[in-house]
Amino acid sequence: MKTLIMKTESREETWQLGEKLGRLVQPDMVFLLQGDLGAGKTTLTQGIAKGLDITRNVTSPTFNILKIYHGRMPLYHIDAYRMEGVSQDLGLDEFLDDDGLTVIEWSQFMPNLVPDQYLRISIHLLDGDAREFIFEAIGERYEKLLEELK
């Protein structure tokens, strides 16, 4: 496992970090986003979408559970916040084996969706609009991604 820690000082810097990350994405990747409400998960995802050349406005899929956006590759944005304790198969795992990027917020509520290899991004609130991002790469392709992100 490889770890990278980065900080941003504003919402704009968080968005730019996401855009840089989105430009490095390869097909069939999975990112797990963790952080308190308001930590910046959706802002980071909006930047990732921009890096994927997605022009649609990206919003949190809290009430829909899944939103799909199309750019140079599909972005499957899953919010599992309301899924705690739900044991039925919703068929969301089929997106993990597709040729796009799957971003899962609150993945701890749907552990069956977590593949063997992924990039975990933990976001911590600091003072003001500052954020700390801890990237944990599980798998060689994600370790390479972090090398490029530095």
Side-chain angles (χ1 to χ4, degrees):
M1 178 174 73
K2 184 179 199 90
T3 301
L4 173 66
I5 299 174
M6 300 179 83
K7 293 183 180 176
T8 61
E9 298 296 328
S10 67
R11 180 179 172 89
E12 178 66 23
E13 283 185 17
T14 296
W15 196 88
Q16 290 170 351
L17 175 61
E19 183 177 5
K20 183 177 181 182
L21 187 57
R23 296 207 183 285
L24 298 173
V25 167
Q26 298 173 9
D28 196 29
M29 285 190 147
V30 177
F31 294 172
L32 309 179
L33 301 186
Q34 297 179 332
D36 292 334
L37 290 171
K41 295 181 295 296
T42 300
T43 300
L44 185 71
T45 303
Q46 289 168 337
I48 291 169
K50 176 67 175 168
L52 292 172
D53 299 324
I54 293 169
T55 56
R56 252 180 72 203
N57 185 37
V58 173
T59 59
S60 179
T62 301
F63 297 104
N64 298 46
I65 300 171
L66 167 69
K67 287 188 177 179
I68 302 171
Y69 302 94
H70 298 281
R72 67 177 168 84
M73 75 176 70
L75 168 61
Y76 305 106
H77 189 191
I78 298 171
D79 187 329
Y81 185 72
R82 295 182 24 232
M83 302 310 296
E84 184 175 17
V86 174
S87 59
Q88 72 188 66
D89 181 10
L90 300 175
L92 296 174
D93 54 331
E94 67 188 60
F95 296 106
L96 302 177
D97 297 323
D98 200 359
D99 60 351
L101 169 65
T102 302
V103 173
I104 306 172
E105 297 184 26
W106 306 100
S107 62
Q108 67 269 28
F109 296 136
M110 295 188 84
N112 58 321
L113 276 183
V114 178
D116 292 337
Q117 296 187 28
Y118 54 87
L119 179 66
R120 174 178 291 128
I121 306 170
S122 300
I123 307 171
H124 302 279
L125 297 163
L126 302 175
D127 293 331
D129 288 335
R131 303 287 188 268
E132 178 183 67
F133 295 83
I134 301 173
F135 298 90
E136 296 173 280
I138 311 300
E140 186 177 331
R141 65 192 305 222
Y142 297 99
E143 290 177 3
K144 288 178 183 178
L145 179 78
L146 289 190
E147 282 298 320
E148 295 177 36
L149 184 62
K150 284 184 181 178

